[in-house]
Amino acid sequence: MSAAGRSRVRYEKKDHLAHVTLDRPEVLNAMDLRMHEELAGVWDDVEADDDIRAVVLTGAGERAFSVGQDLKERSRLDGAGTPRTTFGSRGLPGWPRLTERFTLSKPVVARVNGYALGGGFELALACDLVIASHDAVFALPEAKLGLIPGAGGAFRLARQLPLKTAMGYLLTGRSMDAATALHFGLVNEVADDEEGDLDRRVAAWTDDLVRSAPLSVRAIKESVMRSLDQPLEEAFATRYVWEERRMQSEDAVEGPRAFAEKRAPVWSGH
């Protein structure tokens, strides 16, 4: 099948873990409208399948996680008179995309290999954990292209970095290497320049995630993400759906019981 005809996304599930791969290596995993449409179905399935406890999101090939929006497609759309886009993806294929899927309760680990530019960087910023290759490069170059980081980059970078630092990268489109991203806490780990080290580090994190109680993980993610901009008093008083499920679950009993009996817990997810 030609590159134009095959799927843009590979989706595999095994041992409570989903692997989502942006699969257009010939264009450095640039995201076109069809890829976004395919990804929407993937995220729907991730949320609906209770057997999945965590997700690894990565890009095919060794050169790029993703270089963001397919600008050749955007140029064709502009030529056809298609309305230009601004912040968010409402009304476009794939909505809500991961960058706007605020209720996704499963943790997503970004496995960043090589370039994470524009929308690719925005995807990584929307993930819960980021493990980067030693040669990873991050940037939001939209200011150099007459565009904006409309998939949340302008908002998330200013929340995840000191404001002046974020503005420097946003207003100039300057790139950031993996060591700098680690320094600022944008990534959890940087792999060594050793074959297989990136995958080993990702596996270490996903193994820990899968061993954790699935309802606890979902409750923690929901409560953290919903309370980020709340005063503490309000955060304590907020109703969290996944915490209510966890509190009433069999797993909430199983954890302390397994500890008392000096054995590994067996999670039912109920």
Side-chain angles (χ1 to χ4, degrees):
M1 184 180 294
S2 68
R6 63 175 170 79
S7 295
R8 269 43 171 183
V9 180
R10 281 188 274 126
Y11 181 39
E12 302 160 298
K13 299 187 284 187
K14 183 180 180 182
D15 298 331
H16 303 299
L17 190 64
H19 287 270
V20 180
T21 304
L22 311 178
D23 195 15
R24 298 184 75 202
E26 68 282 358
V27 289
L28 302 182
N29 302 314
M31 294 180 283
D32 61 1
L33 295 179
R34 180 173 163 184
M35 178 182 283
H36 285 302
E37 191 168 12
E38 291 181 18
L39 283 169
V42 167
W43 300 127
D44 286 344
D45 187 75
V46 163
E47 186 66 19
D49 187 347
D50 286 337
D51 191 57
I52 295 175
R53 299 184 185 177
V55 184
V56 175
L57 174 64
T58 193
E62 300 300 321
R63 297 177 61 197
F65 176 72
S66 172
V67 293
Q69 181 179 193
D70 187 331
L71 294 181
K72 290 184 178 179
E73 180 186 63
R74 181 65 256 173
S75 181
R76 289 195 299 270
L77 292 172
D78 288 341
T82 303
R84 297 186 182 95
T85 58
T86 181
F87 293 111
S89 59
R90 185 181 290 273
L92 298 173
W95 186 85
R97 298 174 183 175
L98 179 64
T99 50
E100 296 168 79
R101 200 168 281 242
F102 304 113
T103 59
L104 184 68
S105 62
K106 314 288 181 68
V108 182
V109 180
R111 175 190 177 277
V112 177
N113 47 316
Y115 294 109
L117 309 180
F121 191 10
E122 290 173 305
L123 272 183
L125 288 169
C127 290
D128 302 290
L129 302 173
V130 180
I131 316 302
S133 63
H134 72 282
D135 59 350
V137 177
F138 303 89
L140 293 171
E142 284 83 355
K144 297 179 177 180
L145 298 166
L147 304 172
I148 57 165
F155 309 135
R156 285 192 170 94
L157 199 67
R159 284 165 166 78
Q160 296 180 30
L161 289 180
L163 181 58
K164 294 293 191 297
T165 303
M167 290 298 280
Y169 286 106
L170 287 164
L171 297 176
T172 67
R174 288 184 179 186
S175 62
M176 178 190 309
D177 62 20
T180 302
L182 181 65
H183 170 75
F184 284 123
L186 289 177
V187 305
N188 296 83
E189 281 193 59
V190 175
D192 295 330
D193 182 12
E194 178 184 334
E195 186 175 357
D197 190 53
L198 178 59
D199 288 325
R200 283 192 291 272
R201 290 174 186 259
V202 170
W205 282 100
T206 56
D207 286 350
D208 284 345
L209 288 169
V210 168
R211 278 196 293 267
S212 297
L215 291 177
S216 292
V217 169
R218 296 171 89 165
I220 291 168
K221 175 173 176 176
E222 179 193 28
S223 59
V224 169
M225 299 310 294
R226 285 191 59 195
S227 66
L228 280 175
D229 298 318
Q230 292 179 326
L232 276 176
E233 183 177 358
E234 185 179 329
F236 273 95
T238 298
R239 178 182 176 226
Y240 303 105
V241 174
W242 283 107
E243 168 53 10
E244 292 182 0
R245 296 187 189 183
R246 181 213 60 81
M247 188 171 59
Q248 302 297 329
S249 70
E250 298 171 10
D251 285 355
V253 176
E254 167 64 7
R257 178 190 294 142
F259 180 84
E261 295 174 358
K262 298 181 180 180
R263 61 173 174 82
V266 179
W267 308 120
S268 67
H270 300 99

